[in-house]
Amino acid sequence: MMKRESNHHSPGKAILGKKNLFFLIGLFLGVFCFTGLFLTSNYFSTDTSCMMCHVHPHVETSWKLSKHVNNSSGVKVHCVDCHLPPHLNTWAHYSAKAKLGLKDVWGWMTKDSVDFDWDQKSELEHAVTYIPNESCKECHQNLFPQGITNDAITAHLYYEENEKKLDLQCISCHLDAGHYNPNYTHGKMTGIPGAGASGAPVDTSQYFKAPAQVISFTDYTEQIPGTAVSFKMVAIPGGSFSMGSPEKEYFHKPDEAPVRNVTLSPFFIAEVEVTWDLFWAFYANTMSEGRTPPETVYANNSRPDVDAISGPTPPFGLPDQGWGSGSRPAITMTHYAAETFCQWLSKKTGKNYRLPTEAEWEYAARGGAETPYFFPGNPVSFSDQGFWRKFFNAKTDSISSYVIYVKNSKNKTQEPSEVKANPFGLKNMLGNVMEYCADKYDPEAYSKGGESVTNPLVTDGEEWVVRGGNYASDAADLRSAARDYTHHEAWLKTDPQQPKSIWWYSDIRGIGFRVVCVPDASLSAK
């Protein structure tokens, strides 16, 4: 006999059906509430919503007249774009929005706008609390756009270098950007080195009126007229030395041979690499803002009858890589920029400044020593290269006192005060940054010209010699004889400009230079 199917559902299925129903109702209510909150949030981010509470007489009119609304691009910037952190930081954005919203509602309920001091509320000290700097940076990611003025370039460079140290904000100089104020002046820019920004006075009382007078072949401190920048030059007596390295020297390379006798005339060389303080003085005095075509710059700067020197265009990114400036070595400039700097420095001081020849550089770096370094020690003991370094750490004593390299640099350049000088009184000849020389690179240069040469200079080749290694170098590459050269195309690979920059490298950090001054014949003879 067949069983009849029951017409009754099981209790389990009934409970499951109710759960599904409650879930769907809950899901619907959740979506409804979320959508409602989202729409409400969006409404209270509109300009109309802001105007409900911000009713002071000039806010709407001044906002519509400002550069953020009344501009040639046609882009309209809304209240929340400036007054709240960007959406990318969601928690900061919505927490700030809730805080300001509650404050506005409380003010609307308890205060009368007639009693407000509108002039006081328009002052910078009040405005900075309501303009997050991140919001400005979100839109203005390029501080050196095409067409920017000389004063603005210098001011923006000052901002980049001092933002954290001085707690500078964009609003400090651009109070009139969001709300039109025809009487506003950039008072906070007063005293920016090299800038006469927007009529703000610059204190020139500390500026040098004349360059250093050199009357004997001794160390001197050069001073740049029209700036407050000075630097020390060290007198290096002429003499002969063995240039290169023998095959038995650890980590010797073929381009360091054969060892030859080189005789050099006396010269002055800078105690340290060209610093950012010095390079920015050059930049502020010569910058071309990108409006001068490269071919015109090359032509004009090579003509002896042209007094005005065209200097660097605005840098892309941060030339100091965010490591700080001041007395740290200037970096990322091209060999052409370094040579143009020497040309400018010569005109400013009336002396003959240039890059050192490769022979002058090695002679100065050795400080009279014929060993791999000017300080005691063996390269194999300091280097991380070799089989035994898998088991034993390299020595760092002695070398760390004289050299900024991979073991102690913290992956960035350092101040000159971090190291001791070599026997000639020069700092950072080895390490910190690679330094440009006046020579073209030739791997067989030492085999040409005979066993003894005087004041050699290589002028044929595609790349330039760089010496000394940098903050990321192993001790093996910091030997006084170690040679290297520029990699021009590779160092410009990610340069966004077309044509490629003749002033700045986009893909090399640890490159810089120091200057040599050729003394008058009368001084050399003394």
Side-chain angles (χ1 to χ4, degrees), residues 201-221:
V202 177
D203 182 11
T204 61
S205 62
Q206 302 300 314
Y207 284 10
F208 294 111
K209 303 298 188 294
Q213 296 297 314
V214 181
I215 59 175
S216 62
F217 189 67
T218 56
D219 299 356
Y220 70 93
T221 298

Side-chain angles (χ1 to χ4, degrees), residues 132-145:
N133 220 38
E134 314 90 78
S135 298
C136 302
K137 292 180 178 180
E138 178 67 15
C139 293
H140 300 281
Q141 297 185 18
N142 178 15
L143 296 185
F144 308 97

Side-chain angles (χ1 to χ4, degrees), residues 135-170:
S135 298
C136 302
K137 292 180 178 180
E138 178 67 15
C139 293
H140 300 281
Q141 297 185 18
N142 178 15
L143 296 185
F144 308 97
Q146 187 173 3
I148 189 173
T149 66
N150 286 359
D151 285 347
I153 290 175
T154 308
H156 285 176
L157 287 170
Y158 181 79
Y159 165 80
E160 284 188 336
E161 296 170 22
N162 296 279
E163 177 188 1
K164 294 181 180 179
K165 181 170 63 176
L166 301 180
D167 192 26
L168 294 178
Q169 294 178 282
C170 302

